[in-house]
Amino acid sequence: PVRPSLAQRTNSEDLSFRPQFGNRASPMRGAGAADRGAAGAAGRPGSRLSTTDENSVSSTTTRQPPPPTRPGAAADSSSSARVSDASSAGGADPGRPPLPPSGAAAGSTGGAGMSISDIIAAAKSYDSALKGKAQELAAMLLKVRPAEEEEDVVLEQLLAASPSTPVGLVALLKEGLDTRGVDVEKRLAGLQPFLEQQISAADKSLIAMADLSQALLGMVGILPDLVEDVPKAPLLVAGVIGHFINTGHLTFGVLELVKAVKEAGADDGKAGGGEDGEEEEELDPPLIDSEKAGPMVLIVINAIKAASGEAAAKSAWTDAGADLASLLPSFAREDADVQQLLNKYDAQYLKQ
């Protein structure tokens, strides 16, 4: 049997192993714990905190200093508010990604003043964002995929992803050449109407004549890299150039084309070092070596003839001061070779 005295001690707090501090904080927890405990208790219904305790907690938390303000936070906040107000006022579509600045400024400003060699270098290797937008727009224009957005919107996004407008246009032409689901002969031709419309737009033109001119010269510069996959690429590019020369939308003529054709890939036009101290062997530039240079120029000349007559074509050829033999491989520059090329492209009138 349990003794009555033991039962009384059991019912009391004498045998509790938890420290009994009442409303006082445990000395092992510190003052901070007391404040937190008191604050938590103050917010619970049925709390045993007295009114005096609640006032003490409230005054303690009120006296805490505010967190330090990050420099420029006020400006960021006001700026965010202005953007929010502007979006609400303009009725922006929340489901559409934000557009870049109008006028293709986002694409052209960063690459302003790029030389043709810079454009060629950038067009040989561009990032996935630009590649994706170029593929999307080319597929839309060639009608091999449904349009999810307006063509102008995708073009603006493409130019915003590009270091310059000409580089963006080279990417569009390059990806257009690689678009499946349409005949290769129709790929670049299918892009022409859209580009011409953009250049001719009077109210909001995203592309200038200088942009298209630099893009086409840049396209000539990367042709040596495209010939293996698309053997007809040089002739198709020449067709586009001839078209836009005739419409008056280019700032260059046959002379500049001949120069670009000769220089395309010319930096790689040396064979390996010769044996026993022999000089390196000079190689023909890639478009000349692959027998694409002469046909490209004749296609443009014939386009001028078709649009403006034989006299205009002969004048353009004469003004260029080009020698057709120099556009043929070094092993095929005899008179017979030149005549064969003229006969193939029905350009015998150039020798009359």
Side-chain angles (χ1 to χ4, degrees):
V2 179
R3 287 182 299 174
S5 59
L6 181 58
Q8 293 176 356
R9 292 179 59 190
T10 303
N11 291 332
S12 70
E13 297 179 349
D14 294 343
L15 293 182
S16 174
F17 292 98
R18 300 179 61 184
Q20 306 298 320
F21 299 108
N23 287 336
R24 294 179 295 109
S26 168
M28 299 178 62
R29 295 188 179 183
D35 293 341
R36 290 191 299 271
R44 293 194 299 269
S47 170
R48 289 181 294 180
L49 282 177
S50 64
T51 303
T52 303
D53 294 334
E54 291 179 0
N55 293 338
S56 175
V57 170
S58 177
S59 62
T60 301
T61 56
T62 302
R63 287 194 302 270
Q64 292 180 351
T69 303
R70 177 175 55 85
D76 293 344
S77 176
S78 61
S79 175
S80 300
R82 288 194 299 271
V83 171
S84 177
D85 294 341
S87 299
S88 300
D93 184 0
R96 173 178 291 181
L99 295 178
S102 62
S108 58
T109 302
M114 291 183 72
S115 66
I116 297 298
S117 59
D118 292 336
I119 293 171
I120 293 172
K124 286 185 176 182
S125 177
Y126 43 79
D127 59 27
S128 58
L130 176 55
K131 182 181 180 70
K133 283 300 173 184
Q135 289 176 335
E136 179 182 354
L137 182 56
M140 289 170 57
L141 296 176
L142 296 176
K143 312 300 183 185
V144 296
R145 65 176 288 178
E148 299 178 358
E149 293 186 278
E150 295 181 1
E151 295 168 350
D152 289 354
V153 173
V154 180
L155 173 63
E156 201 167 0
Q157 294 171 347
L158 181 154
L159 297 180
S162 173
S164 73
T165 298
V167 174
L169 295 179
V170 175
L172 174 62
L173 295 170
K174 183 178 176 182
E175 300 304 329
L177 271 176
D178 199 37
T179 301
R180 300 297 185 262
V182 60
D183 293 341
V184 65
E185 291 85 359
K186 299 179 180 179
R187 292 175 187 175
L188 292 187
L191 306 180
Q192 285 179 187
F194 176 74
L195 295 175
E196 188 169 349
Q197 176 186 1
Q198 287 295 323
I199 297 177
S200 304
D203 53 345
K204 184 183 178 184
S205 178
L206 298 177
I207 304 172
M209 286 176 53
D211 296 326
L212 182 60
S213 300
Q214 288 184 312
L216 288 174
L217 290 176
M219 192 68 182
V220 172
I222 66 171
L223 281 176
D225 299 332
L226 305 180
V227 171
E228 184 175 352
D229 294 331
V230 188
K232 293 184 178 181
L235 308 185
L236 298 177
V237 171
V240 175
I241 292 174
H243 171 80
F244 282 112
I245 285 180
N246 288 332
T247 59
H249 288 138
L250 295 184
T251 59
F252 68 88
V254 179
L255 174 62
E256 291 80 7
L257 173 62
V258 171
K259 182 175 182 290
V261 165
K262 289 182 176 181
E263 292 179 350
D267 292 342
D268 302 326
K270 288 184 179 294
E275 297 180 0
D276 299 329
E278 295 179 359
E279 294 183 0
E280 293 180 343
E281 180 185 357
E282 291 286 346
L283 300 179
D284 292 327
L287 293 180
I288 292 179
D289 184 64
S290 60
E291 302 184 58
K292 303 294 185 181
M296 285 183 67
V297 175
L298 291 182
I299 286 175
V300 172
I301 292 293
N302 283 338
I304 296 174
K305 176 189 175 186
S308 304
E310 182 176 306
K314 293 178 69 173
S315 176
W317 175 252
T318 302
D319 293 343
D323 177 15
L324 189 57
S326 68
L327 298 175
L328 294 175
S330 54
F331 59 83
R333 291 178 178 172
E334 301 294 333
D335 290 342
D337 299 315
V338 174
Q339 189 61 47
Q340 182 179 358
L341 181 62
L342 290 173
N343 293 339
K344 180 177 181 179
Y345 287 90
D346 196 19
Q348 301 91 336
Y349 60 91
L350 293 179
K351 296 194 69 175
Q352 295 174 358

